[in-house]
Amino acid sequence: MRVIELTAQQSIQIVGLLFSLVWQFVVWLKGSLGMLDAVVLLAVYIGYLLIMRKLPPEEPECVDDMDVVPRKIVLAPRGIRIAAILGLFVVGGVGVFMVAEPFLEGLFGLSVSAGIPAFIFIAWVAPLVSEAPEGFSAFYWARDYPRANTALMNMVSSNISQWTLMAAMLPVVLSVSMGHPAAIPIDALQNRELLMTLAQALVGVLLLLDLKLQAWEASALFALWAVQVVFSVLTPDSVIHWWITGVYFAWAAVEFLRFVAGNRKPAALAHFRKLVLLTAKRSRFAFLRTCP
């Protein structure tokens, strides 16, 4: 387990995350998240889904391998299947809507009790709590080497959704609630946190471009994350965040130079291009088959 090796098809997630980060840097430069950003980010997300939808399965898939509930849904008649899937989305959405406000109030209360600024507490604790089920499932898969790359891509896919779909919906919801197009301004503290997070994500993408993640790379990322979390809690106004951000960008520059020098190969970019061309051909042939 000194290295997790990824497949060619998983380059779609890696490059998709790279595209989403590029526009998020634009958001950081503008200092606001508006409706134009929402349109671009949604386009990136939809394009990513369309490419993923056209990819053939890497391994033979069998209905018998599914658990009871998804197997029942897949084998049900088309109308019942669609209704069941939509029903599950509705139930999940209603559940989230009902617990969102008390969950946020509870986080505010905990931040006051702990004496930690609410912004810092929510920024670091809320994702850990809300994404715990996803994390546990990924950790479970990571115990098995053949499925470790699936666990890693599960986290990458989640990041794509957060940087594109989730971020895009924020100005949309704000605009609907205000009755006119509105943008979310990014203040100085949020600017610092956003830049640090983008730098961290950029390093992660560059490390994955050769379709590998080394143990020492993962350990270094975790160490930097742990340092920034500790200092965020103990000294929110510390300049350590800018130092950590500088380390991330320096690391990203080193990895970029390694690609330029040929010490590492950006295999994900080459595979991404091939897979996009493949999906384009599949779409063209599917269209031709439907024509009289």
Side-chain angles (χ1 to χ4, degrees):
M1 294 297 290
R2 294 181 179 179
V3 59
I4 295 179
E5 297 183 355
L6 306 177
T7 65
Q9 286 197 7
Q10 290 169 335
S11 62
I12 300 296
Q13 287 101 314
I14 298 170
V15 179
L17 180 56
L18 180 60
F19 283 150
S20 63
L21 292 179
V22 169
W23 192 260
Q24 287 293 348
F25 272 108
V26 175
V27 172
W28 174 80
L29 288 172
K30 295 194 298 93
S32 64
L33 180 66
M35 292 300 295
L36 174 61
D37 305 308
V39 171
V40 174
L41 293 173
L42 283 174
V44 172
Y45 184 70
I46 293 173
Y48 161 74
L49 290 183
L50 290 176
I51 295 175
M52 292 294 295
R53 182 175 178 269
K54 295 294 183 179
L55 292 179
E58 293 181 300
E59 298 178 356
E61 297 179 347
C62 182
V63 175
D64 296 334
D65 296 332
M66 297 181 177
D67 291 330
V68 177
V69 174
R71 184 168 65 248
K72 291 285 186 181
I73 293 176
V74 169
L75 295 178
R78 186 173 184 271
I80 297 177
R81 182 169 66 249
I82 294 175
I85 294 174
L86 292 177
L88 290 173
F89 272 103
V90 171
V91 170
V94 171
V96 171
F97 178 79
M98 293 178 64
V99 304
E101 185 174 356
F103 175 71
L104 185 60
E105 291 178 350
L107 289 179
F108 276 120
L110 288 174
S111 67
V112 173
S113 301
I116 302 172
F119 172 79
I120 298 298
F121 189 84
I122 293 175
W124 291 109
V125 175
L128 292 177
V129 176
S130 62
E131 297 174 15
E134 179 184 29
F136 288 142
S137 63
F139 299 153
Y140 178 81
W141 291 333
R143 300 183 308 158
D144 184 15
Y145 182 78
R147 293 192 296 178
N149 58 5
T150 301
L152 179 57
M153 285 300 101
N154 185 52
M155 309 306 292
V156 172
S157 298
S158 175
N159 270 265
I160 295 175
S161 300
Q162 292 172 3
W163 284 118
T164 55
L165 178 63
M166 297 297 291
M169 292 306 298
L170 296 178
V172 171
V173 173
L174 176 63
S175 299
V176 170
S177 64
M178 296 187 67
H180 60 81
I184 300 175
I186 301 175
D187 61 26
L189 179 58
Q190 295 164 346
N191 180 284
R192 183 193 71 182
E193 295 289 328
L194 177 59
L195 182 62
M196 181 173 60
T197 308
L198 286 171
Q200 181 191 57
L202 178 62
V203 171
V205 171
L206 290 174
L207 294 178
L208 295 176
L209 279 181
D210 65 349
L211 298 181
K212 294 179 183 178
L213 181 64
Q214 305 285 345
W216 73 266
E217 297 170 339
S219 300
L221 280 173
F222 179 81
L224 290 171
W225 173 84
V227 169
Q228 68 194 37
V229 169
V230 171
F231 277 90
S232 294
V233 174
L234 299 180
T235 56
D237 297 327
S238 173
V239 297
I240 190 66
H241 297 83
W242 292 113
W243 285 103
I244 294 293
T245 302
V247 171
Y248 282 135
F249 277 117
W251 189 357
V254 170
E255 296 301 329
F256 178 77
L257 291 176
R258 292 179 65 189
F259 284 121
V260 173
N263 296 331
R264 296 181 65 185
K265 302 294 183 183
L269 297 179
H271 287 301
F272 176 80
R273 179 177 178 274
K274 293 178 181 179
L275 290 171
V276 169
L277 293 176
L278 175 62
T279 55
K281 290 181 179 179
R282 288 169 60 90
S283 299
R284 176 173 174 269
F285 290 146
F287 171 76
L288 291 176
R289 285 197 298 270
T290 59
C291 294

